[in-house]
Amino acid sequence: MKVPFSPPRIDDVVIKEVTDALQSGWITTGPRTKEFEKRIAAYCDVPHVVCVNSASAGLELILRWYGVGPGDEVIIPAYTYAATANVVMHCGATPIMIDAEDDFNISALKIKKAITPKTKVIIPVDIAGFPCDYDLINALVHEPEIQKMFIPATEEQEKLGRILVLADAAHSIGAVYKDKKSGKLTDISVFSFHAVKNLTTAEGGAICLNLPQVFDTEEVYKSLCIKSLHGQTKDALSKMQIGNWKYDIVEAGYKCNMTDVLAAIGLVELERYETDMLPKRKQIFDAYSNAFKQYDQFIIPPYETREKISSYHVYLLRIKNISEAERDEIMQRIFEQEVAVNVHFVPLPMFSFYKENLGYDIHDYPIAYKNYAAEISLPVYYDLSDEQVEMVIDSVLKAVGIQK
Ligand SMILES: *Cc1c(COP(=O)(O)O)cnc(C)c1O
């Protein structure tokens, strides 16, 4: 491939920081992870952040913390990656899928009709890094008739007294909605630092706590650290301190803590995220938009509006009036020019698991299907050169039969 899809940015600065971590004598959760948590919290302007080994683990940890279980319903978009639904399944609850809007995100207007007395959590997803309509979603969970429907079953649910809004912000670190950064837009948000994401630690995730005053966020932070490490009251580092070996197990916790080796990558990436990464991604988005907006066939994805600024995660180009099969053929012609493209996402109701086990039918999600059938994701990453951007543009134009 002349243009790969999304290689991570790994340079000497990252390698040096990781080497330092390896040589420091402390490789699992320790000072670098704690520093990374503090820096993310400062970046997003939230009181506490818990780092974990993936966004999936982070989302599940929060569902478990909120006491989501069998008989409960969690509202999610149909247009997302499988992780959003699977974490709900792991808890024994039922994912309730909602159709998309034209901007690819969950339809905030359609959420209301899906709310029942069993609804415990809504998980909006900022697809491609473009924030959802959070004013609408946050207002919804506070509506008196919706709050009245809520039946609390745990201490946390009692305290909040309403549906929890848990953003799957896997794509959207650095995105802005009405002057607030992703991480601060809902009760709790979870970032992914998977290898293909904007900010990577190879694998990793972070939970941003932005809970209302009724919660002692510091206490919640501590309990999530314990929950992410087998319910152990002291982490390995504090146990190491002289005379501090004794600990208790307070619950059957999980094992999803972040390691210092990986936090080392994250510290470097976060430091230069606003100065290097976001401007570079914006520049690529603008180059694609400027090229494709000259032709009537394309639908340019929204990424900057009066209220929202994307994190420029993936460029979701759509081609007007084509079928899914025609889209696949166009992709094939792009691949033949050695340019890697992708599709984000196949709507979940199209996968056999959700179709056969949960009875989902893609016909109930016409906008998600329409968006998917016309969509081709173009490469966006730090090391993508101007020449490569031109190659991507040329390959798309050629594949759809446009003479420049
Ligand atoms: C990548 C992704 C996740 C999962 O992130 P991991 O860190 O790999 O667990 C969740 N939701 C969406 C929308 C994603 O794209």
Side-chain angles (χ1 to χ4, degrees):
M1 281 286 170
K2 288 180 185 149
V3 185
F5 190 69
S6 72
R9 180 188 186 190
I10 301 296
D11 60 6
D12 290 345
V13 187
V14 171
I15 292 167
K16 178 173 184 308
E17 195 63 33
V18 171
T19 308
D20 286 353
L22 287 168
Q23 290 173 334
S24 72
W26 195 264
I27 56 175
T28 183
T29 311
R32 282 184 169 79
T33 303
K34 295 297 138 187
E35 182 62 26
F36 190 35
E37 288 178 342
K38 288 202 185 94
R39 301 245 185 122
I40 299 166
Y43 179 68
C44 301
D45 187 27
V46 296
H48 284 285
V49 167
V50 184
C51 279
V52 284
N53 64 8
S54 72
S56 304
L59 290 166
E60 184 169 336
L61 208 64
I62 295 304
L63 293 178
R64 303 266 184 195
W65 168 79
Y66 201 53
V68 173
D72 291 335
E73 293 177 350
V74 175
I75 292 179
I76 67 165
Y79 202 91
T80 182
Y81 178 58
T84 321
N86 289 354
V87 294
V88 177
M89 300 291 297
H90 295 170
C91 297
T94 307
I96 304 293
M97 297 183 195
I98 303 290
D99 202 6
E101 285 289 345
D102 189 54
D103 66 1
F104 293 95
N105 281 337
I106 190 167
S107 171
L109 298 170
K110 286 182 190 144
I111 291 176
K112 190 169 180 175
K113 270 187 278 171
I115 294 176
T116 75
K118 295 177 181 171
T119 310
K120 290 288 160 62
V121 181
I122 300 172
I123 312 184
V125 184
D126 302 322
I127 299 291
F130 192 63
C132 295
D133 291 319
Y134 284 115
D135 277 1
L136 283 174
I137 297 170
N138 290 329
L140 195 59
V141 297
H142 283 97
E143 279 184 23
E145 73 268 33
I146 288 184
Q147 250 181 298
K148 235 180 278 163
M149 227 198 281
F150 185 76
I151 306 166
T154 65
E155 201 185 311
E156 283 73 23
Q157 294 176 14
E158 195 87 54
K159 245 187 202 174
L160 191 62
R162 60 163 170 81
I163 296 168
L164 176 82
V165 183
L166 167 62
D168 176 341
H171 301 176
S172 64
I173 185 167
V176 177
Y177 176 79
K178 295 192 174 173
D179 299 323
K180 282 191 213 157
K181 281 214 170 73
S182 176
K184 200 185 167 66
L185 303 176
T186 60
D187 299 315
I188 301 181
S189 306
V190 179
F191 298 137
S192 171
F193 305 136
H194 176 270
V196 302
K197 301 289 160 48
N198 277 21
L199 194 163
T200 186
T201 60
E203 295 280 1
I207 303 166
C208 298
L209 299 175
N210 184 47
L211 288 161
Q213 295 270 305
V214 284
F215 289 94
D216 179 342
T217 307
E218 170 115 39
E219 282 303 311
V220 176
Y221 168 80
K222 283 182 191 152
S223 73
L224 290 172
C225 290
I226 290 170
K227 212 181 236 333
S228 73
L229 217 153
H230 282 300
Q232 193 174 300
T233 52
K234 280 178 198 161
D235 65 25
L237 188 66
S238 36
K239 273 175 62 195
M240 282 276 292
Q241 284 150 19
I242 293 169
N244 206 27
W245 64 272
K246 276 193 180 166
Y247 62 89
D248 194 14
I249 298 290
V250 292
E251 63 175 313
Y254 302 89
K255 185 62 172 67
C256 55
N257 52 306
M258 177 176 274
T259 73
D260 266 25
V261 174
L262 299 187
I265 310 176
L267 282 166
V268 173
E269 287 300 296
L270 184 60
E271 182 74 31
R272 59 195 188 182
Y273 190 65
E274 286 273 323
T275 51
D276 290 26
M277 185 58 93
L278 286 179
K280 175 71 197 221
R281 300 186 88 97
K282 173 180 163 50
Q283 186 203 321
I284 296 166
F285 265 59
D286 287 342
Y288 286 151
S289 291
N290 288 331
F292 295 120
K293 75 180 180 203
Q294 299 170 44
Y295 306 95
D296 197 38
Q297 286 99 315
F298 299 106
I299 303 171
I300 305 300
Y303 56 93
E304 285 164 357
T305 65
R306 213 161 42 86
E307 294 174 342
K308 303 180 185 180
I309 304 170
S310 174
S311 62
Y312 318 99
H313 177 50
V314 270
Y315 192 90
L316 308 180
L317 183 68
R318 275 170 291 179
I319 299 159
K320 285 181 193 162
N321 305 319
I322 57 165
S323 67
E324 184 184 347
E326 284 165 330
R327 187 273 315 276
D328 294 351
E329 284 165 20
I330 292 168
M331 284 180 75
Q332 190 52 40
R333 292 198 287 274
I334 298 172
F335 286 132
E336 280 159 14
Q337 299 172 77
E338 291 197 64
V339 170
V341 285
N342 221 313
V343 171
H344 293 89
F345 291 93
V346 179
L348 300 182
M350 296 180 76
F351 287 116
S352 51
F353 176 72
Y354 309 105
K355 204 160 52 181
E356 288 155 23
N357 292 276
L358 299 176
Y360 280 102
D361 182 350
I362 189 62
H363 294 104
D364 297 330
Y365 302 90
I367 310 293
Y369 182 76
K370 185 167 167 258
N371 289 346
Y372 152 78
E375 195 271 328
I376 300 176
S377 313
L378 306 183
V380 181
Y381 50 91
Y382 187 81
D383 292 317
L384 193 67
S385 68
D386 293 348
E387 296 76 60
Q388 285 175 311
V389 169
E390 285 309 311
M391 283 169 65
V392 174
I393 293 166
D394 289 347
S395 72
V396 173
L397 293 179
K398 199 168 156 199
V400 299
I402 292 175
Q403 303 284 333
K404 263 220 290 198

